[in-house]
Amino acid sequence: MAQIRVVPIFEDDSDDYEQLFNAEALSPGNDMIVDSEDLLHDAEAEKDDGDIAIINPEDEPVFMADDFEGMKDLVLPLLPEQPPVLEDKVHTWAIENWRDHPRRDHGPTFEAGGHPWRVLFFPNGNNVDYVSLYLEHAYPEGTPPDDFACCVQFGLVVWNPEAPGIYQYHTAHHRFTKEEGDWGFTRFVELRKLYTVPWDDSGRYLLGDNYTANITSYVRICKDETGVLWHNFNNYDSKKETGYVGLKNQGATCYLNSLIQSLYFTNAFRKAIYQIPTQDEETLQNSAYTLQRLFYQLQTSNTAVGTNELTKSFGWETRHIFEQQDVQELSRKLMERMEEKMKGTEAENVLPKLFCGKVRTYISCINVEYESRRVEDFWDIQLNVSGNKNLEESFKDYVQVEVMNGENQYFAGEQFALQDANKGVIFETFPEVLHLQLKRFQYDIDRDAMMKINDRYEFPETFDAAPYLSDDADKSEPWIYQLHGVLVHSGDLNAGHYYAFIKPNKEGWFYKYDDDKVTKATMREVLEDNFGGEFLLPNGSMAMRGKTKPIIRQMSAYMLVYIRQSRLDEVLLPVTRKDTPPHLQKKLDEEAALREMRKKEREEQHLYLGCKVITEDTYRAHGGTDLTSFDRANSEDEPAAPRFYRLLRKSTIGELTAKVGEDTNVDPKRIRLWAMVNRQNKTIRPDAPIPEMNTTVEDAYQRLGGSKSAELRLWAEVAEEVNIDGNAIWPATPSQTNGNAPKTDLIVLFLKWFDVESQSLSGAGHIYISREKKVEDLVPVILKKMGWTEKTQLRLFEEIKPNMIEPMKAKQSLKAAELQDGDIVCFQKADAKSSESDRESISSKSSSDKTSLSKSNLGLDRIDNAQQFYDFLVHRREVRFHPHPTRNANPESYQPFELILSNKHSYDQIAAKVGEHLKVDPTHLRFWTVNAANGNPKASVKRGQSQSLSTILNPPYSTFANNNQRPDALYFEVLDISLTELDTKKALRVIWLSDGMSKEEPFDILVPKNGTVEDLIAALIKKAQLDDEEKAGPIRVYETHSSKIHKNLTRESQVMGITEYVHVIAERIPEEDLESGSELIQAFHFQSEPSKSHGIPFRFKIIPGEVFSDTKKRLEKRTGMKGKNFEKIKFAIVKRSSYSKPTYLTDDSILDEMLTAEDDMLGLDHVDRSRVVRNGVDLFLK
């Protein structure tokens, strides 16, 4: 009889090897395996994939199902994680009659790994046309211990006991927990294959003749070394499991997170950061302070920490959060900034001692005693990955010696002339902490693009750096380095993810720091998994995609951190709370306590209700429309804001009244509270008093206030009269009348006084009056309340709503005027005479709490009519003006100030107000909008007849250009000429070069729009106060773009042709360039790659036949760069026409002979000291 074995295979072989073995691929989403939280589910939810078992090669030996040892090797293949095996268990359940079993059944219990197990069995399928089998723990009543977790690799085999060659199996692995107590296969085998369709040509079925079958369980208990083997990370607590916390990813800041974690666990660095004095500069603009805060939070927090404060202190905007920066560049700039902050402190020399080594570049003659050498500091080493198999080969490649002979002999000065020589680099010292940058990203000349190198590249846990040191290096101690950190990039050039493996202590485990998640890691995860190259199967063979294409790992190490073994105790010294600055601890502990308090408030928020109460004092201080502004928070600076009380919802109105009385020094018996309601005209007025003092504030809120506002809004009325018991005597109100009480027509009205003399509006209390009375009857009541003489004449207005103020008719009854409880009557003295024109704004902010106009400008701004004053209030706008930081001649001579203006003001009216404040000609003022994101000037405001303050600060249309400007601030620029004349000029920023180009001075100049470069030069000489050209020499002007010369401008060039996208450079023409027949070459600065250009380019004279050692002397004079800065420059020929590697020059090169095309350029390769990154923003502004 033929021996037949059925193994489900993958239909799609395009998945990566890693995905084939990924535990997440064996989740309930795959139909062969399901979590039994919901074992009985709809068949419609099932898919027909059947793709969860491991492929076996065609030449694999065929086993019989009763050969348990052979089958174990088949159904329990090696796993990529290669976890240690604690125990293997094989158990067979003999089924006598398959058809007699219920829909859901359990097999016998057996023990493995100290836990009970059994098979969960659906003989007719779990709502599918397949047999369903699962492995589950067999703890009584399904209640394992709370900490139950067991990592199991298992296989289930159904086989015919009469023909052991006929069987079906599936295999999986899973982390069994209390929450996930079973795992298995919903679609194990089709039902029809049990006893309906013959299994093979022999005519037998999967079941025996009497529906017998055996189900064999192969259970392998695996050791969970890291505590996270096959973990789903639901409710995972990094701090609890590892003692460490991660960093939150802001968007694309995983590269920053991995670097910060690496530096944090370099304990000596962390301690040095704590030693930077920041107690006098506790601002979030100080990068040293924010880094201290971040380190302290990593040290003390129980949850993942955010990096928002740190990136903001770098000067990054939102867009930079989603741009991946170069990690090496970021690391270097961070070191530079911290080194500057440490100057003059006890940690001044810590960073060089930790991270800085010395490397010697030399050219040594073979036959004579002559050597040229240069020693430089290095903070990291860039090692080639391409062409090297491991770290040792890369170091050998780095220090390999190049023999200069034949045509490439070295010129050893006049004494020795041309000589054979050895050229190379050798290390003089290595730092205590060695940062190795693996060059995984390189330019591919064939593809004309940057590519990631995924070649396999091995690095050891320890290595000896002594072979790469010079012979005269100090070798009294071993130079053996131990691996401390591996920074990993997963993905390709365009998209990827960064994480780090770090060993925090001298002994112990490595941990994986993947943003906010920290897990323990095995050495295989640290080393083998990050070598890159092809995926290797557990048996050592290569994983293939198809038959010929190997599967390449996407994750590989790009930065290694090694610590010298003899310095481990010094570098990884303990850092405790005692090492953290006391002011930092105090500040962060206070913030933590405040966060905890606010958290508690949020949690208890449902128990409390906010109450805002208008009192007599707040109403009298209120100078706006309505009775108050409920949006304002009560404080000493805001006396007009309603008083706020946070009370338990079960508190009574009586308790609230007592609090109000205590705050206002009024007997609570004299106070009653009115509920405020929202009227249809968008005003908020008192509606009716709350009669019962035992009413809870919650009931009052629901019954009277409703849910239209988040808080209960009230007015506190104070009785003018009391009885002999001290209880208030209240005037009757319509809402209080009942069958026994007399009917009343009294209404309560609120009074406001518009004081023409002080140009202010204020509350004047309230009165009760009959609705049958006439408007003129209000006058004596008001005069008595204000203490004015009876002869005083008043003008009365009703404040219906903020933009509707109507004069009241003297003979009209209040009932006819439709006045009701809570209405507002505004009055003013009638003897104030109107000015020729009522204006609508004030020229400076009043120091009074009342809204008022500046007394110093009464003649200009006086308003004699309350209606017009209300109109001013509606369009009132407070604007803060700042001097433009770069365009004013003396910006420090101007201070920011605030003006209260009208939205109706035109550009000229705004200029008049600002000019009056600054005491400058308003025609010479130009305004700039303010960027809301960073507070910098955004765009100049165009002067036009249709422009008003409202359209300037709130453009009527929203575009990308104006949707992020501040609506309450402007910058001002004081011009030398009027705006009208400015319209005929073109504004240009010209960079003037002096001191051999080492000094750059920007000048903003104005040139007639129809002018030429000749006019530009004349304006520059005047602005910069330069000597004229006859005396000091001619000036030339050129445009630059991307730090390369874009265009040489002639004297006749029109200035209108100069666009805003280029920089304009001006300089004196060097004397040697003035010589007839001079040939000039374009020169520019770059760092490592010509595409990373920086600085200001220039033109340089070529002298035929000149040895480059002499050319360098002229370049030193031309650039103004001296000493070590100039010595570090490497010179190269760079071709403009195509992207190719630069050809570097030696001292004996001849420049004109190296040039092969007219557009060849001279490149100066050196570090960009301007600290400007690719996106044009300084990484560290503070």
Side-chain angles (χ1 to χ4, degrees):
M1 180 185 69
Q3 296 176 346
I4 300 172
R5 174 175 54 80
V6 176
V7 181
I9 63 173
F10 290 97
E11 297 176 359
D12 183 1
D13 63 357
S14 64
D15 292 333
D16 285 350
Y17 172 76
E18 182 184 35
Q19 293 174 320
L20 304 187
F21 288 95
N22 194 327
E24 292 180 2
L26 305 177
S27 65
N30 288 31
D31 305 321
M32 302 295 284
I33 299 177
V34 71
D35 183 352
S36 68
E37 283 293 327
D38 185 17
L39 288 171
L40 300 174
H41 52 273
D42 294 327
E44 294 179 1
E46 293 288 329
K47 302 175 185 175
D48 191 15
D49 296 337
D51 58 354
I52 49 76
I54 308 303
I55 299 174
N56 290 335
E58 294 178 0
D59 58 352
E60 194 176 72
V62 177
F63 298 102
M64 303 296 285
D66 57 0
D67 177 7
F68 298 123
E69 286 301 316
M71 287 294 292
K72 185 167 70 172
D73 293 337
L74 177 66
V75 301
L76 299 179
L78 293 174
L79 295 172
E81 295 88 356
Q82 302 178 35
V85 177
L86 296 177
E87 182 183 351
D88 284 346
K89 184 76 173 183
V90 180
H91 176 268
T92 300
W93 174 21
I95 297 177
E96 296 298 329
N97 191 325
W98 187 283
R99 303 178 73 175
D100 287 347
H101 285 267
R103 181 169 180 265
R104 170 178 174 152
D105 203 358
H106 292 97
T109 298
F110 59 94
E111 186 172 302
H115 303 288
W117 305 94
R118 65 188 177 188
V119 171
L120 176 59
F121 178 43
F122 291 82
N124 295 307
N126 181 11
N127 288 335
V128 291
D129 294 329
Y130 289 77
V131 175
S132 302
L133 289 178
Y134 310 89
L135 178 70
E136 69 173 6
H137 68 73
Y139 279 100
E141 300 179 0
T143 55
D146 290 339
D147 59 350
F148 169 65
C150 187
C151 296
V152 180
Q153 181 188 10
F154 66 95
L156 300 178
V157 183
V158 176
W159 53 287
N160 188 328
E162 300 162 11
I166 296 177
Y167 57 84
Q168 173 80 322
Y169 80 90
H170 289 298
T171 182
H173 56 265
H174 181 62
R175 182 185 187 87
F176 288 84
T177 62
K178 186 177 181 179
E179 292 75 24
E180 293 185 350
D182 44 61
W183 203 254
F185 316 97
T186 301
R187 288 183 168 91
F188 190 89
V189 63
E190 291 181 86
L191 292 175
R192 64 187 181 88
K193 291 184 178 181
L194 295 178
Y195 44 75
T196 304
V197 178
W199 194 263
D200 57 16
D201 295 339
S202 68
R204 286 187 174 276
Y205 302 91
L206 184 57
L207 300 185
D209 293 340
N210 296 317
Y211 304 108
T212 59
N214 286 340
I215 299 177
T216 301
S217 304
Y218 294 85
V219 176
R220 173 168 288 167
I221 307 298
C222 299
K223 184 178 181 180
D224 182 10
E225 297 179 284
T226 62
V228 292
L229 181 62
W230 307 325
H231 205 299
N232 62 14
F233 292 104
N234 291 335
N235 302 316
Y236 180 76
D237 188 332
S238 294
K239 184 78 169 188
K240 179 181 176 181
E241 300 297 334
T242 67
Y244 306 108
V245 297
L247 292 167
K248 297 175 185 176
N249 192 334
Q250 296 185 53
T253 56
C254 49
Y255 70 97
L256 172 67
N257 291 350
S258 61
L259 176 64
I260 292 297
Q261 291 281 20
S262 173
L263 295 174
Y264 171 78
F265 285 108
T266 307
N267 294 1
F269 175 81
R270 191 197 328 169
K271 189 170 183 178
I273 293 298
Y274 285 151
Q275 291 173 340
I276 299 175
T278 56
Q279 60 270 22
D280 296 328
E281 196 180 354
E282 290 184 279
T283 69
L284 297 183
Q285 287 73 45
N286 180 358
S287 53
Y289 176 63
T290 56
L291 189 59
Q292 285 180 344
R293 288 172 61 91
L294 181 60
F295 281 180
Y296 182 76
Q297 290 174 77
L298 282 172
Q299 200 168 305
T300 59
S301 175
N302 292 320
T303 57
V305 179
T307 57
N308 306 63
E309 292 180 353
L310 183 67
T311 54
K312 285 181 180 177
S313 73
F314 291 172
W316 291 5
E317 300 174 8
T318 303
R319 62 189 176 97
H320 305 126
I321 301 302
F322 294 93
E323 294 175 358
Q324 288 190 351
Q325 311 291 341
D326 182 83
V327 178
Q328 181 190 8
E329 183 180 23
L330 176 62
S331 174
R332 191 69 202 95
K333 291 180 183 297
L334 183 59
M335 292 290 185
E336 285 182 3
R337 173 56 65 184
M338 294 304 110
E339 193 179 11
E340 287 179 17
K341 296 284 186 179
M342 290 177 185
K343 286 181 179 177
T345 72
E346 56 184 310
E348 182 169 1
N349 298 314
V350 171
L351 294 194
K353 182 174 179 287
L354 277 176
F355 301 105
C356 185
K358 292 188 179 296
V359 64
R360 179 198 305 165
T361 304
Y362 65 88
I363 301 178
S364 179
C365 293
I366 298 173
N367 301 316
V368 297
E369 290 189 8
Y370 183 89
E371 181 176 281
S372 171
R373 66 169 61 180
R374 182 173 66 194
V375 178
E376 296 177 289
D377 292 340
F378 70 87
W379 291 71
D380 53 49
I381 303 173
Q382 296 190 52
L383 297 176
N384 287 322
V385 171
S386 181
N388 297 309
K389 295 180 180 179
N390 52 45
L391 195 67
E392 182 181 0
E393 289 191 11
S394 288
F395 265 105
K396 288 179 178 178
D397 174 54
Y398 198 95
V399 299
Q400 70 175 341
V401 177
E402 175 190 351
V403 179
M404 304 176 67
N405 54 20
E407 295 183 357
N408 194 32
Q409 278 189 316
Y410 174 65
F411 181 74
E414 298 295 336
Q415 181 180 357
F416 298 111
L418 295 175
Q419 292 286 333
D420 292 345
N422 291 327
K423 178 181 179 183
V425 296
I426 195 72
F427 293 97
E428 291 193 351
T429 62
F430 287 109
E432 295 175 353
V433 181
L434 187 58
H435 283 183
L436 303 178
Q437 304 285 345
L438 306 184
K439 297 170 74 172
R440 285 281 182 188
F441 301 96
Q442 284 191 342
Y443 178 74
D444 189 318
I445 193 169
D446 296 327
R447 292 184 174 89
D448 190 24
M450 293 293 291
M451 301 294 292
K452 182 181 179 183
I453 300 171
N454 281 316
D455 298 351
R456 182 176 177 85
Y457 181 88
E458 299 179 5
F459 48 90
E461 191 174 357
T462 61
F463 82 97
D464 187 359
Y468 318 114
L469 285 168
S470 61
D471 294 335
D472 55 352
D474 180 4
K475 298 180 182 178
S476 57
E477 291 181 35
W479 288 93
I480 297 175
Y481 280 82
Q482 179 172 308
L483 186 64
H484 173 68
V486 180
L487 278 63
V488 181
H489 177 264
S490 175
D492 58 21
L493 180 71
N494 301 314
H497 179 59
Y498 292 84
Y499 51 91
F501 292 91
I502 302 170
K503 188 176 182 180
N505 301 304
K506 182 178 178 180
E507 306 294 339
W509 287 82
F510 273 87
Y511 291 86
K512 181 180 179 181
Y513 296 84
D514 188 353
D515 286 339
D516 56 355
K517 187 168 60 185
V518 183
T519 57
K520 196 180 289 185
T522 63
M523 288 309 299
R524 177 190 54 76
E525 293 177 275
V526 176
L527 299 174
E528 174 64 35
D529 285 0
N530 299 310
F531 287 162
E534 300 82 3
F535 270 108
L536 298 180
L537 297 174
N539 61 11
S541 61
M542 194 179 300
M544 306 295 291
R545 179 182 285 113
K547 294 183 179 180
T548 59
K549 191 175 182 181
I551 298 175
I552 304 297
R553 292 182 189 270
Q554 291 300 302
M555 75 285 280
S556 54
Y558 71 93
M559 178 176 167
L560 305 174
V561 181
Y562 282 91
I563 300 177
R564 191 177 179 185
Q565 278 190 344
S566 59
R567 299 287 194 272
L568 274 170
D569 292 333
E570 298 175 23
V571 175
L572 300 181
L573 77 171
V575 181
T576 65
R577 284 179 68 99
K578 292 181 179 179
D579 296 308
T580 58
H583 73 277
L584 187 69
Q585 292 185 35
K586 181 182 177 183
K587 182 77 172 177
L588 287 170
D589 290 348
E590 288 173 354
E591 292 176 4
L594 182 60
R595 282 194 302 271
E596 192 62 31
M597 183 185 72
R598 288 176 177 171
K599 179 183 177 183
K600 186 178 180 181
E601 285 182 357
R602 287 194 301 271
E603 291 172 349
E604 297 177 349
Q605 190 171 3
H606 64 287
L607 302 175
Y608 290 85
L609 179 68
C611 303
K612 291 188 174 180
V613 183
I614 302 171
T615 65
E616 285 190 348
D617 292 339
T618 64
Y619 180 56
R620 289 187 183 280
H622 181 57
T625 58
D626 227 328
L627 302 182
T628 190
S629 173
F630 282 102
D631 296 331
R632 299 162 78 177
N634 189 266
S635 67
E636 292 183 2
D637 297 330
E638 292 281 0
R643 295 182 181 272
F644 179 77
Y645 302 92
R646 186 171 181 264
L647 301 173
L648 286 168
R649 290 178 179 267
K650 61 183 180 182
S651 301
T652 64
I653 292 295
E655 291 171 336
L656 174 58
T657 303
K659 286 182 175 291
V660 174
E662 182 181 351
D663 287 350
T664 56
N665 294 320
V666 176
D667 187 344
K669 293 180 181 180
R670 294 179 56 207
I671 298 175
R672 70 172 173 179
L673 301 178
W674 290 59
M676 306 287 288
V677 296
N678 295 314
R679 291 186 177 179
Q680 291 184 347
N681 63 3
K682 305 296 177 64
T683 60
I684 304 174
R685 302 289 172 84
D687 177 56
I690 302 174
E692 295 295 331
M693 299 298 279
N694 291 328
T695 302
T696 66
V697 293
E698 170 69 10
D699 290 341
Y701 174 69
Q702 295 295 339
R703 190 165 64 246
L704 301 173
S707 57
K708 293 182 180 179
S709 61
E711 68 277 325
L712 177 62
R713 296 174 173 179
L714 303 167
W715 168 51
E717 179 187 8
V718 178
E720 295 182 356
E721 299 180 16
V722 295
N723 60 21
I724 57 174
D725 297 326
N727 294 319
I729 300 175
W730 301 109
T733 60
S735 60
Q736 289 178 295
T737 59
N738 52 47
N740 299 320
K743 185 176 181 181
T744 179
D745 58 1
L746 292 179
I747 58 174
V748 59
L749 299 178
F750 287 87
L751 303 176
K752 284 187 181 178
W753 173 36
F754 170 50
D755 185 354
V756 179
E757 294 303 317
S758 66
Q759 294 283 281
S760 64
L761 185 69
S762 60
H766 66 280
I767 60 172
Y768 282 91
I769 192 169
S770 170
R771 297 181 74 230
E772 303 300 329
K773 295 282 187 178
K774 294 182 180 181
V775 170
E776 62 186 3
D777 295 329
L778 287 169
V779 174
V781 180
I782 294 173
L783 293 178
K784 180 180 177 182
K785 196 169 190 67
M786 298 300 294
W788 293 342
T789 64
E790 296 179 356
K791 295 182 179 180
T792 305
Q793 294 184 342
L794 300 178
R795 299 173 64 185
L796 303 182
F797 305 85
E798 182 189 358
E799 180 188 322
I800 301 172
K801 55 183 179 180
N803 58 352
M804 184 181 291
I805 315 299
E806 298 294 341
M808 301 180 73
K809 299 176 182 178
K811 300 299 180 181
Q812 190 177 34
S813 71
L814 300 181
K815 183 176 182 180
E818 299 182 348
L819 291 181
Q820 62 184 29
D821 280 330
D823 282 352
I824 298 174
V825 174
C826 178
F827 61 90
Q828 70 174 87
K829 292 183 179 180
D831 54 358
K833 297 181 180 179
S834 300
S835 58
E836 292 182 4
S837 64
D838 292 313
R839 291 177 169 81
E840 303 150 349
S841 71
I842 57 181
S843 59
S844 67
K845 186 178 179 182
S846 171
S847 60
S848 169
D849 292 318
K850 305 173 184 178
T851 301
S852 64
L853 296 175
S854 171
K855 293 183 180 180
S856 62
N857 292 288
L858 292 178
L860 178 66
D861 292 308
R862 183 182 177 92
I863 296 175
D864 294 331
N865 183 284
Q867 274 183 299
Q868 294 172 349
F869 193 82
Y870 270 96
D871 184 65
F872 150 70
L873 291 179
V874 170
H875 296 97
R876 175 182 184 272
R877 192 157 194 164
E878 187 174 309
V879 183
R880 187 166 181 82
F881 290 87
H882 301 264
H884 197 291
T886 59
R887 291 185 169 269
N888 287 303
N890 297 301
E892 64 280 354
S893 63
Y894 301 109
Q895 296 297 322
F897 59 92
E898 292 176 348
L899 293 181
I900 297 177
L901 305 173
S902 168
N903 273 326
K904 295 181 178 181
H905 268 156
S906 66
Y907 187 102
D908 290 343
Q909 287 175 310
I910 299 169
K913 300 294 182 184
V914 176
E916 180 185 0
H917 181 89
L918 295 174
K919 296 180 173 53
V920 300
D921 188 341
T923 63
H924 286 52
L925 284 172
R926 177 162 62 171
F927 300 106
W928 297 72
T929 56
V930 181
N931 189 318
N934 54 28
N936 294 329
K938 184 174 175 64
S940 60
V941 177
K942 304 298 181 185
R943 176 174 174 261
Q945 295 300 319
S946 61
Q947 283 278 50
S948 67
L949 182 64
S950 177
T951 59
I952 290 172
L953 294 176
N954 298 100
Y957 54 90
S958 179
T959 66
F960 179 79
N962 63 33
N963 65 358
N964 67 336
Q965 75 175 53
R966 281 186 55 176
D968 60 350
L970 291 170
Y971 280 98
F972 65 85
E973 174 190 358
V974 181
L975 302 170
D976 295 330
I977 57 176
S978 68
L979 272 177
T980 305
E981 185 180 353
L982 180 65
D983 290 339
T984 66
K985 306 281 187 180
K986 181 178 178 65
L988 292 170
R989 168 159 286 198
V990 180
I991 298 174
W992 172 250
L993 302 181
S994 58
D995 294 342
M997 297 182 57
S998 63
K999 187 177 180 181
E1000 304 169 16
E1001 297 178 87
F1003 292 99
D1004 293 312
I1005 61 175
L1006 296 171
V1007 184
K1009 290 183 177 179
N1010 59 354
T1012 64
V1013 171
E1014 188 80 45
D1015 301 316
L1016 183 153
I1017 293 172
L1020 175 65
I1021 291 174
K1022 180 179 179 182
K1023 179 86 175 198
Q1025 298 180 351
L1026 304 175
D1027 292 333
D1028 59 37
E1029 293 183 277
E1030 290 186 8
K1031 182 178 180 180
I1035 294 173
R1036 64 183 172 199
V1037 181
Y1038 55 95
E1039 298 176 359
T1040 70
H1041 185 267
S1042 299
S1043 296
K1044 295 179 182 176
I1045 293 178
H1046 175 256
K1047 183 180 180 181
N1048 295 311
L1049 299 175
T1050 66
R1051 294 277 180 150
E1052 294 75 26
S1053 298
Q1054 295 290 319
V1055 294
M1056 286 303 292
I1058 301 174
T1059 70
E1060 58 185 302
Y1061 304 107
V1062 299
H1063 296 288
V1064 180
I1065 312 296
E1067 65 170 352
R1068 299 279 185 194
I1069 303 177
E1071 292 183 6
E1072 63 178 13
D1073 291 6
L1074 294 172
E1075 298 173 4
S1076 59
S1078 294
E1079 182 182 354
L1080 303 178
I1081 184 175
Q1082 183 189 148
F1084 73 102
H1085 308 266
F1086 69 93
Q1087 180 175 341
S1088 302
E1089 298 173 10
S1091 60
K1092 295 182 179 179
S1093 53
H1094 61 87
I1096 293 182
F1098 59 95
R1099 286 186 287 172
F1100 181 68
K1101 181 180 179 180
I1102 302 173
I1103 297 179
E1106 183 182 45
V1107 178
F1108 198 71
S1109 57
D1110 295 332
T1111 307
K1112 283 167 62 175
K1113 295 176 182 176
R1114 292 194 297 117
L1115 279 166
E1116 183 175 10
K1117 179 181 178 182
R1118 179 77 173 89
T1119 61
M1121 301 174 70
K1122 298 179 175 63
K1124 288 186 177 180
N1125 288 336
F1126 186 79
E1127 290 175 7
K1128 291 179 180 180
I1129 299 175
K1130 293 184 288 185
F1131 299 90
I1133 300 296
V1134 180
K1135 295 187 177 298
R1136 182 195 289 268
S1137 55
S1138 63
Y1139 198 113
S1140 60
K1141 289 187 175 180
T1143 303
Y1144 285 91
L1145 303 170
T1146 62
D1147 285 352
D1148 54 352
S1149 299
I1150 297 177
L1151 182 59
D1152 67 317
E1153 294 179 359
M1154 300 288 288
L1155 301 175
T1156 58
E1158 288 186 6
D1159 56 1
D1160 283 355
M1161 297 178 288
L1162 176 62
L1164 285 68
D1165 181 0
H1166 60 102
V1167 175
D1168 180 6
R1169 294 294 177 184
S1170 63
R1171 295 201 183 102
V1172 178
V1173 294
R1174 290 184 298 281
N1175 51 32
V1177 175
D1178 192 335
L1179 275 175
F1180 300 100
L1181 297 179
K1182 309 297 180 188

